Amino acid sequence: MTMRWRALVALAWRDTRTTRRRLVLSMSSIAIGVAALVAVDSYSANVVRSIHVQARSLLGADLSVSASRPLPAQVTALLDSLHARGATDTRVTTFSSMALVSGSEGTRLVQVRAMGAGAPYYGVIETSPADKWQDLQSGPYAIVDSSLLVALNANIGDTLSLGYARFAILATLRNVPGDIGIAASLGPRVYIPDRYLGATRLLTFGSRAQYEALVKLPSSVNPDALAKAHRDLFDSLQVRARSVADTERSLTRSIEQLGRFLGLVGLIALLLGGIGVASAMRAYMAEKIDTIAILRCLGASGSQVFAIYLIEAAGLGLAGAAMGVVLGVAAQMALPHVLGSFIPVDVTPQLEWIPVLGGLALGTWVGALFALGPVLGVRNVTPLQVLRRDTDDAAQRAARSPWRDPARLAAGAVLMASVVAVCMARAESAIFGLWMSVAIGAAIGATWLAAVACARGASRLATVPSRFVVRHGVANLERPGNQTRPVVLALGFGVFLLGTLALVQGSLLRELASTADASAANLAFFDVQTDQAFLLDTMLRQRDYPVLARVPIVPMRIAALASPRRAKSETRRETKGASPRASERPSWAIRREYRSSYRDSIAPSERLVAGHWWKTDGPDRDGVFEISLEQSLAEELGVVLGDTIAWDVQGVRIRTRVTSLREVQWTRFEPNFFVVFQPAALREAPQSFVLLTRVRDDAERAKLQRDAVQRFPNISTIDLSLIENAVGKILDRVSVAVRFMALFSVVTGALVLVSALAASRRQRVREGVLLKTLGATRGQIASMLLTEYALLGAIGSAAGIVLAVGGAWAAMHFIFQAQFALAPLPLAVVAVATMVLTVVIGLVAARDVFAETPMTALREV
Amino acid sequence: MLVARELTKSFPSGDRTITVLRDVSFTIADGEFVAIVGPSGSGKTTLLGLLAGLDAPSAGSVRLDDVDLATLSEDARARLRGAKVGFVFQSFQLIPTLTALENVRVPLDLRGDESAQSRATELLARVGLADRVHHYPVRLSGGEQQRVAIARAFVNSPSVLFADEPTGNLDQSTGLRIVELLEELNRDAGTTVVIVTHDTELAAHARRIIRLSDGLVVEDREHTA
């Protein structure tokens, strides 16, 4: 038995002797998918490993306790009580503020981090010049992002003003554990010593800040157990406690999610490659009919012949997968450059065996399964075909219609089951995996349909062109044995991914730009105190800048929520005092701090969707004020029109009733609010203001900001053009990452094309030589090929673009809930690039057609 | 008129040179039916390739209707073939991805001739394949395929038709019908027919026989059937 198998393996090996290169080429289309999976999985394993190793440095402590207001007395008492057990703690306060440098013109909104002595306990904040972090606490120093120096045209050693305090810039940041690279594009970071925080006088009424205590625990205290033991206290005080394990868990989860998303692209590339393999294998098997018939004549049984080609298919699958693994490991080394700015840890790429072996197994399995369909067709080849080649017909017909062959149907079912199993194994949950496989099936199915429709359309067109060469080129797409569909499918999918990406990115940027245009204002001043509001207003008017709005902001929390629709036990939900169990922990919507406003009319960025706007200043006879809620918040809180909510406004309880719901355009530059009150409810409450103005000239706008910040150092400004820049930058970075993955499917498309052309090479050379013999010039042959490949590219692009428009529309509509904008230019670029790629690959692959002399026609029998 | 003058063809083989044809000269007049015969390896097919301008000689020249093929570029030779030459091959050499009708049209299509459709249909009817015009080669028998090839060879009304073992892959009776078809077209259209074969029965239909042996013309005689 072993002997016989050995003989079959040897036969299979010899049988591929003249076609090995071509077969390996066709298997390379599967290699790209395997490469993508191996790269993504290996990198994600690298990152998870790094997170595990660096988890304490990422948090900077054993336990972090934070809140959006100064830590309550109960919490500080708890922290103090830990000192007795050997714990130490220090503080970090994070907030936004304006920074300016003496002697330079600009101002910049920055993220200030006031660091207590000793922070962070773990991990090293790297600076340039090196080792300056330890000097930070020794005086009024600041360590800043180098982007801030560029923006403010400043240097190390210059004096940086934050509020009313001044700091000498000691160094720039090189690496902060736990911070992702793109964080700085939202606002440059500025580290100052905590003891100078008061001197800045920036944390005034209404300022938003994050107050954090970093706790270093002795090894005898388990931070997780500690956090759990006090969970109820933390929850009731709206304090967030994170241990190293929490950080590791949540980071690992995010990385795994990112890996799963990118892996999806790899999986699709693998399947597209598989379709290419099936198509190349079909062409290969058609050529092998003679050999198979001879083997049958010489006494090989049907199952032996089948075994020979099954061995070939499996061997090729293994070869393709092995190529993929090698490529994948190489790509893994490139991933840190592409994804690095989203990853909070330093990653040293290293070989991960599980993804490598998994990729090898999956690639072999998928490659062999896709090849199996055409291989099953060999069972239909009879020895008679040695004598009568025209009976090919029956075999070929059988090979082409898998529907009547139970074995091929079974192979298809196994293939589908494998894909579903892989999806389920990769997904967070089985049901999600099932959906993922349905989504993959739908995406491939839709591209397939688009490919078929476009190819059909082309064949209809075939009779139209008057020039023979063009007509011939067009008609080639629908000839027997054509590879149009797999090629169009593979190319189309690449175009689909790239096109969707380009359209979504374009739509988002356009949405942003149109919002910017719609907003009359392009500069906002916030954290403006009541006494400053009038002065700033005057300052703007004196300079002839309009004050477009003066919006009051009042911070508050929900004190009690009463909804008649709720179950009795839940009818009243006190959020203070009582400590609900973890399972009944109130949602964030109930616990959060609200920054609300009051006014007598609805804003242009809002639309009333239910109820009515108030006509009076309020309140009603029972002392209840009217409020208007943003509709999704109303859903989140589970309240409807008529429900009452009591608010805690700086210790004063204000009772309100929901009398209207609004839809809010959050993307507008104007300040928007979840909750808007009747004016009388909050007019006397402690409040800060946002002032909006419009200054067209960039230089004037910069000067105004600087003057305002110099006069009112606690005020911050937001320049609309900076937001646009930041969002643009982030979108760019995200799209580079996605584009990198989309590239895998484009390369797969190109490889499917190459292998399809290689599979039909003999036929093409023969046809070219014949045409030359019959009088065709090289120019005419080139025109035919050009027409065919350009059309192939065009059809692939068309199929991809149709789907991209649909996909991008759906993404904008359902995910981003913004206007979809059809941008023809990026689509045209993708389409033209695909066509050029197809034509170049096609003509390079067809160079034999030009090189062969017509004499071959006579010699070939 | 087809004139071969001192045709020699050599190929490098390793460090030696193999001469397949040596100083072959003859003239074939318009309307002749000539058979080039000889055993395998005698240089028949090489000679045919040179006469049809599919290949260039190492020495000597071929003149077709007073045009020296050696003076033409590859593309110009292709155009000349499209206009004046027809081919029939032993292995039929139909383009498998084209139907019978499309195969026959090709030479005219390449010239942009508007009459391609009607002329191809007419010729297919003449070779007895009126009901098989839309079939692909794989669906046709060997004899039918060769008839399609003959229709294709005549579609551009060539002044000379080259046939390389045209009955080699066919049974005797089918082969005979093919030869009769060639004779009929030679007679009716006045096309010069040059057949390469080692089949003496086929050669017997020709009116002139040129015999090759080891690359040399060893016999050139009129033949009366």
Side-chain angles (χ1 to χ4, degrees):
Chain A
M1 191 66 190
T2 327
M3 193 55 218
R4 197 183 296 167
W5 271 105
R6 206 179 286 165
L8 289 178
V9 171
L11 255 173
W13 175 246
R14 284 181 215 130
D15 183 62
T16 58
R17 193 172 277 152
T18 55
T19 40
R20 244 168 249 161
R21 226 177 58 184
R22 195 181 100 200
L23 287 172
V24 168
L25 191 64
S26 70
M27 278 298 165
S28 66
S29 47
I30 224 165
I32 299 298
V34 173
L37 284 173
V38 169
V40 167
D41 290 355
S42 298
Y43 183 62
S44 142
N46 284 168
V47 175
V48 168
R49 193 189 295 264
S50 303
I51 288 171
H52 181 70
V53 173
Q54 300 168 34
R56 283 211 300 198
S57 332
L58 296 179
L59 190 62
D62 295 307
L63 183 69
S64 146
V65 180
S66 61
S68 57
R69 53 185 168 151
L71 291 176
Q74 292 103 308
V75 175
T76 47
L78 172 69
L79 295 178
D80 290 344
S81 73
L82 290 171
H83 292 171
R85 293 161 70 183
T88 48
D89 62 77
T90 184
R91 301 303 150 100
V92 177
T93 311
T94 308
F95 56 95
S96 297
S97 167
M98 299 308 286
L100 48 88
V101 167
S102 333
S104 101
E105 286 304 303
T107 51
R108 205 44 141 220
L109 186 66
V110 296
Q111 303 172 56
V112 181
R113 294 184 190 175
M115 307 294 283
Y121 287 125
Y122 304 107
V124 177
I125 295 182
E126 290 171 32
T127 59
S128 166
D131 303 328
K132 288 292 179 189
W133 181 257
Q134 61 228 40
D135 301 340
L136 181 71
Q137 298 291 344
S138 61
Y141 295 127
I143 295 180
V144 305
D145 263 318
S146 56
S147 65
L148 181 67
L149 296 189
V150 175
L152 295 181
N153 191 21
N155 293 302
I156 290 172
D158 285 356
T159 304
L160 182 82
S161 298
L162 289 174
Y164 292 89
R166 286 161 174 245
F167 300 87
I169 300 174
L170 197 59
T172 57
L173 292 162
R174 277 192 51 212
N175 186 29
V176 179
D179 270 12
I180 56 173
I182 55 169
S185 46
L186 293 170
R189 293 159 294 185
V190 172
Y191 284 87
I192 57 166
D194 165 68
R195 61 198 160 105
Y196 296 102
L197 181 57
T200 64
R201 284 151 65 190
L202 283 170
L203 295 182
T204 51
F205 176 76
S207 322
R208 287 192 132 176
Q210 180 75 15
Y211 300 84
E212 184 181 18
L214 295 181
V215 187
K216 185 180 179 183
L217 294 167
S219 53
S220 57
V221 182
N222 178 339
D224 249 342
L226 184 69
K228 260 190 208 114
H230 299 282
R231 184 69 73 196
D232 287 352
L233 172 72
F234 291 142
D235 279 346
S236 68
L237 296 170
Q238 287 117 42
V239 168
R240 183 175 177 221
R242 273 180 309 155
S243 66
V244 175
D246 289 331
T247 310
E248 187 179 340
R249 254 195 303 277
S250 80
L251 280 176
T252 303
R253 200 181 308 130
S254 321
I255 295 303
E256 282 173 352
Q257 257 161 8
L258 181 68
R260 267 194 284 273
F261 167 69
L262 296 177
L264 190 66
V265 181
L267 202 56
I268 290 174
L270 180 64
L271 294 178
L272 289 177
I275 291 169
V277 164
S279 140
M281 204 64 191
R282 195 169 304 130
Y284 175 67
M285 293 315 296
E287 281 175 28
K288 284 289 169 190
I289 287 175
D290 283 344
T291 311
I292 295 164
I294 293 168
L295 283 171
R296 295 297 308 273
C297 278
L298 299 178
S301 68
S303 56
Q304 278 176 322
V305 172
F306 176 65
I308 290 173
Y309 287 95
L310 194 62
I311 291 168
E312 287 186 25
L316 287 167
L318 184 64
M323 268 193 282
V325 166
V326 172
L327 270 176
V329 171
Q332 176 201 353
M333 307 295 160
L335 274 175
H337 302 288
V338 181
L339 293 174
S341 52
F342 301 101
I343 305 295
V345 283
D346 301 325
V347 181
T348 325
Q350 67 180 85
L351 203 61
E352 298 282 349
W353 286 107
I354 292 174
V356 163
L357 294 176
L360 198 63
L362 185 64
T364 311
W365 180 240
V366 169
L369 273 181
F370 270 106
L372 186 61
V375 169
L376 281 165
V378 305
R379 295 164 311 146
N380 301 319
V381 178
T382 65
L384 193 66
Q385 274 165 266
V386 171
L387 305 174
R388 288 181 59 84
R389 187 74 159 91
D390 27 316
T391 45
D392 279 6
D393 208 20
Q396 283 188 354
R397 242 197 340 257
R400 252 183 249 127
S401 70
W403 299 109
R404 290 190 208 119
D405 186 344
R408 295 186 69 182
L409 284 179
V414 171
L415 181 64
M416 265 198 263
S418 307
V419 172
V420 173
V422 169
C423 285
M424 283 166 77
R426 293 183 67 86
E428 259 165 303
S429 67
I431 194 80
F432 188 72
L434 206 60
W435 276 113
M436 204 159 92
S437 44
V438 169
I440 289 179
I444 292 183
T447 321
W448 181 263
L449 282 180
V452 170
C454 290
R456 288 247 167 93
S459 74
R460 292 259 161 81
L461 275 178
T463 50
V464 179
S466 56
R467 284 185 59 205
F468 167 68
V469 287
V470 177
R471 215 166 55 226
H472 189 85
V474 175
N476 266 347
L477 296 173
E478 273 291 274
R479 300 282 188 216
N482 72 76
Q483 307 251 6
T484 304
R485 274 161 224 182
V487 171
V488 166
L489 179 61
L491 287 175
F493 207 86
V495 172
F496 167 45
L497 287 184
L498 287 177
T500 306
L501 191 66
L503 284 177
V504 167
Q505 196 180 359
S507 292
L508 286 176
L509 287 175
R510 182 181 283 209
E511 173 86 8
L512 197 69
S514 71
T515 323
D517 290 343
S519 315
N522 65 357
L523 186 60
F525 297 89
F526 60 100
D527 285 347
V528 179
Q529 303 301 303
T530 313
D531 56 331
Q532 294 171 328
F534 174 74
L535 296 172
L536 181 62
D537 194 314
T538 314
M539 177 178 165
L540 292 174
R541 286 178 205 281
Q542 273 169 356
R543 296 184 180 203
D544 282 341
Y545 300 133
V547 175
L548 298 167
R550 204 167 98 170
V551 184
I553 294 181
V554 181
M556 58 184 67
R557 288 175 188 278
I558 292 179
L561 187 64
S563 167
R565 292 177 310 108
R566 284 164 179 262
K568 214 171 182 183
S569 61
E570 283 186 58
T571 303
R572 280 194 75 75
R573 234 182 179 174
E574 291 286 335
T575 59
K576 259 189 173 174
S579 55
R581 275 188 158 82
S583 58
E584 295 168 11
R585 218 182 288 160
S587 78
W588 182 74
I590 294 177
R591 289 181 292 136
R592 63 167 289 191
E593 185 193 51
Y594 285 86
R595 295 161 73 85
S596 309
S597 191
Y598 58 88
R599 50 181 136 88
D600 52 19
S601 59
I602 192 157
S605 57
E606 302 170 330
R607 195 170 65 86
L608 211 58
V609 291
H612 60 87
W613 198 261
W614 44 82
K615 294 189 178 69
T616 64
D617 224 22
D620 67 5
R621 274 169 303 178
D622 303 328
V624 177
F625 291 93
E626 291 183 42
I627 56 168
S628 176
L629 292 189
E630 192 267 342
Q631 57 177 357
S632 66
L633 175 74
E635 262 172 49
E636 177 79 16
L637 291 172
V639 298
V640 293
L641 292 179
D643 286 356
T644 59
I645 303 175
W647 300 87
D648 172 2
V649 181
Q650 312 298 307
V652 177
R653 202 170 169 111
I654 295 181
R655 288 188 299 143
T656 61
R657 175 172 291 114
V658 181
T659 56
S660 67
L661 300 179
R662 288 161 302 132
E663 182 185 277
V664 176
Q665 251 186 295
W666 292 103
T667 48
R668 291 279 287 260
F669 186 55
E670 291 88 355
N672 287 302
F673 299 93
F674 278 113
V675 193
V676 175
F677 284 68
Q678 258 181 325
L682 301 176
R683 196 175 284 130
E684 302 306 323
Q687 53 199 276
S688 64
F689 290 87
V690 172
L691 265 75
L692 297 176
T693 186
R694 179 165 198 94
V695 183
R696 286 186 195 285
D697 186 69
D698 288 347
E700 276 183 47
R701 201 162 58 241
K703 183 168 185 329
L704 174 63
Q705 291 180 65
R706 187 178 174 85
D707 293 350
V709 172
Q710 266 175 339
R711 185 157 168 208
F712 312 109
N714 64 295
I715 290 178
S716 292
T717 66
I718 292 181
D719 189 328
L720 183 57
S721 64
L722 284 184
I723 298 184
E724 284 183 272
N725 266 337
V727 173
K729 253 185 222 161
I730 291 168
L731 280 180
D732 273 351
R733 301 292 272 277
V734 172
S735 65
V736 164
V738 181
R739 215 173 281 149
F740 181 75
M741 294 311 295
L743 209 61
F744 278 96
S745 69
V746 174
V747 174
T748 299
L751 280 174
V752 169
L753 175 65
V754 170
S755 77
L757 291 175
S760 58
R761 184 188 151 274
R762 213 169 114 187
Q763 185 185 324
R764 272 162 202 282
V765 169
R766 207 172 133 181
E767 184 177 319
V769 161
L770 253 171
L771 286 168
K772 280 191 201 171
T773 310
L774 297 176
T777 61
R778 277 172 303 183
Q780 283 177 311
I781 289 172
S783 303
M784 285 174 198
L785 294 173
L786 198 70
T787 307
E788 184 181 343
Y789 300 137
L791 261 176
L792 211 51
I795 294 170
S797 302
I801 283 172
V802 167
L803 290 174
V805 170
W809 178 85
M812 291 308 294
H813 194 76
F814 297 112
I815 301 173
F816 299 103
Q817 300 188 340
Q819 203 72 39
F820 166 69
L822 184 66
L825 188 66
L827 287 183
V829 169
V830 172
V832 169
T834 309
M835 278 172 69
V836 170
L837 179 78
T838 319
V839 167
V840 168
I841 290 176
L843 291 184
V844 168
R847 60 191 189 285
D848 288 355
V849 177
F850 297 106
E852 289 286 355
T853 65
M855 199 55 202
T856 326
L858 285 181
R859 297 284 177 204
E860 196 173 303
V861 177
Chain B
M1 180 113 77
L2 184 64
V3 182
R5 183 163 300 152
E6 292 163 1
L7 280 179
T8 296
K9 182 72 183 178
S10 320
F11 299 99
S13 170
D15 43 8
R16 295 187 312 139
T17 302
I18 296 173
T19 303
V20 190
L21 281 181
R22 228 182 284 270
D23 289 333
V24 173
S25 298
F26 53 75
T27 300
I28 296 172
D30 290 345
E32 273 198 85
F33 194 127
V34 181
I36 298 174
V37 298
S40 291
S42 58
K44 303 188 295 288
T45 302
T46 306
L47 177 59
L48 184 71
L50 294 179
L51 293 178
L54 299 180
D55 204 358
S58 309
S61 68
V62 176
R63 297 179 75 86
L64 176 59
D65 290 348
D66 280 336
V67 178
D68 184 350
L69 298 185
T71 63
L72 301 178
S73 69
E74 193 188 324
D75 281 349
R77 288 208 300 271
R79 274 190 289 267
L80 183 77
R81 281 196 297 275
K84 297 198 166 177
V85 177
F87 282 101
V88 176
F89 303 98
Q90 177 178 3
S91 51
F92 323 137
Q93 299 286 19
L94 297 179
I95 297 175
T97 54
L98 301 186
T99 62
L101 182 68
E102 288 169 336
N103 262 291
V104 176
R105 288 179 54 141
V106 167
L108 294 183
D109 278 332
L110 286 170
R111 292 200 317 223
D113 192 324
E114 296 291 326
S115 66
Q117 180 80 5
S118 56
R119 175 104 176 109
T121 314
E122 177 201 320
L123 271 164
L124 278 171
R126 191 150 164 210
V127 298
L129 291 175
D131 55 340
R132 315 283 301 217
V133 288
H134 296 302
H135 288 218
Y136 284 99
V138 71
R139 306 249 165 168
L140 301 173
S141 71
E144 286 170 332
Q145 288 192 44
Q146 195 58 303
R147 278 187 276 160
V148 173
I150 290 172
R152 184 178 67 186
F154 276 95
V155 78
N156 57 346
S157 314
S159 57
V160 53
L161 180 129
F162 293 102
D164 182 27
E165 302 279 12
T167 60
N169 278 359
L170 301 173
D171 62 66
Q172 202 175 8
S173 67
T174 313
L176 185 63
R177 252 177 291 147
I178 293 294
V179 176
E180 284 167 359
L181 195 56
L182 285 174
E183 282 182 305
E184 188 186 321
L185 290 165
N186 165 255
R187 198 173 50 236
D188 297 354
T191 309
T192 310
V193 174
V194 179
I195 291 182
V196 161
T197 184
H198 61 265
D199 177 355
T200 45
E201 261 184 66
L202 173 58
H205 288 267
R207 289 193 289 280
R208 177 179 168 190
I209 292 175
I210 298 173
R211 189 176 301 280
L212 288 184
S213 180
D214 285 336
L216 291 166
V217 175
V218 293
E219 184 186 355
D220 185 347
R221 64 179 168 89
E222 294 294 315
H223 174 260
T224 42

